[in-house]
Amino acid sequence: MTFLAADDTQNAGDWAARTGWVVGLLLVIVLLYWLMREGWKWRGLLQSDLPELAQVPADPGEPRLTMAGRYHGSTKAGQWLERIVAHGLGVRSRADVTLTDAGLTVRRPGARDFHVPTSALRGARLDKGIAGKVLTEGGLLVITWQLGDSAIDSGFRSDHAAEHAAWVTAINDLTGGPSDATATQRDEDGRVAAGAATPRGATPATPEAATPRGATPATPEKGT
């Protein structure tokens, strides 16, 4: 009887410890979710100056290209980690994308549809990552467009990735955007690296020439 009572006491202690661990883990998960949600709301507040998205036109015209695939998010142009969440642009989803003479129409089941007029399109390129999502080299179609004073990159991946090159050509022909369809090289901070193509409307990176430590930077001499 003494042994049975001791076993029951030990089992009760084990269950109490396990319950404590489970409750603690659930609290950590809830806290992380709350912090992520608050961070998302704060980012949206900071981006509240972005104008409303254009309404999808009732009759956008004859399609030049159509694509079924996924929308992977939007960022500030040239900065693949600076995510845009305002107006539902931060929500990843399935997407049906259509290019017409009127612009780019993105229909998203379960998320907000949006339209980019032709006058706001800036160009397209192939890339490998956006908004923290990394794919294979050239596996992402990135379309650059203007919303108010902000240049935005939006990332799409077709169900048939071979279609991406045709989209790059069609959009750049329509807008006079970048002709370089190769993946854009980026530095460790996610910004477009020096020498890489910069989408029209984005601010190009201008790194200063490196000076060896201890050396005096060269100063141009004034003419006499």
Side-chain angles (χ1 to χ4, degrees):
M1 294 294 292
T2 303
F3 288 114
L4 290 176
D7 287 342
D8 289 342
T9 302
Q10 183 176 358
N11 289 336
D14 290 344
W15 276 109
R18 291 173 185 173
T19 301
W21 276 105
V22 170
V23 171
L25 181 60
L26 289 175
L27 288 175
V28 169
I29 293 174
V30 170
L31 176 62
L32 290 175
Y33 176 80
W34 181 82
L35 290 174
M36 290 173 60
R37 185 178 179 84
E38 289 301 306
W40 191 279
K41 289 168 61 177
W42 177 248
R43 187 181 288 268
L45 182 63
L46 293 177
Q47 297 168 359
S48 59
D49 59 333
L50 286 175
E52 279 292 328
L53 301 174
Q55 295 293 323
V56 176
D59 183 15
E62 192 68 22
R64 285 173 172 247
L65 286 174
T66 60
M67 176 177 69
R70 291 200 64 83
Y71 167 76
H72 284 291
S74 295
T75 65
K76 293 182 179 179
Q79 301 181 38
W80 77 308
L81 296 178
E82 290 293 328
R83 183 177 231 169
I84 301 293
V85 303
H87 308 313
L89 291 175
V91 179
R92 291 174 177 160
S93 64
R94 289 286 303 173
D96 292 313
V97 189
T98 305
L99 179 67
T100 68
D101 290 338
L104 185 80
T105 299
V106 183
R107 298 188 181 276
R108 302 191 293 159
R112 183 176 178 179
D113 300 339
F114 65 94
H115 177 75
V116 182
T118 302
S119 60
L121 288 171
R122 295 293 178 264
R125 69 181 187 274
L126 299 184
D127 213 322
K128 65 178 180 179
I130 195 168
K133 179 69 174 182
V134 180
L135 300 171
T136 57
E137 192 76 27
L140 196 70
L141 170 66
V142 177
I143 298 174
T144 304
W145 52 290
Q146 197 78 20
L147 183 61
D149 295 330
S150 300
I152 294 176
D153 283 343
S154 292
F156 302 87
R157 180 170 176 82
S158 172
D159 291 338
H160 306 284
E163 299 175 346
H164 290 172
W167 276 82
V168 170
T169 300
I171 291 176
N172 289 336
D173 286 348
L174 186 64
T175 64
S179 59
D180 183 8
T182 59
T184 304
Q185 297 178 349
R186 302 184 180 277
D187 61 20
E188 293 179 355
D189 294 327
R191 291 179 171 81
V192 177
T198 302
R200 187 161 59 113
T203 303
T206 54
E208 297 179 358
T211 302
R213 187 171 58 177
T216 302
T219 304
E221 296 183 358
K222 298 181 179 179
T224 56

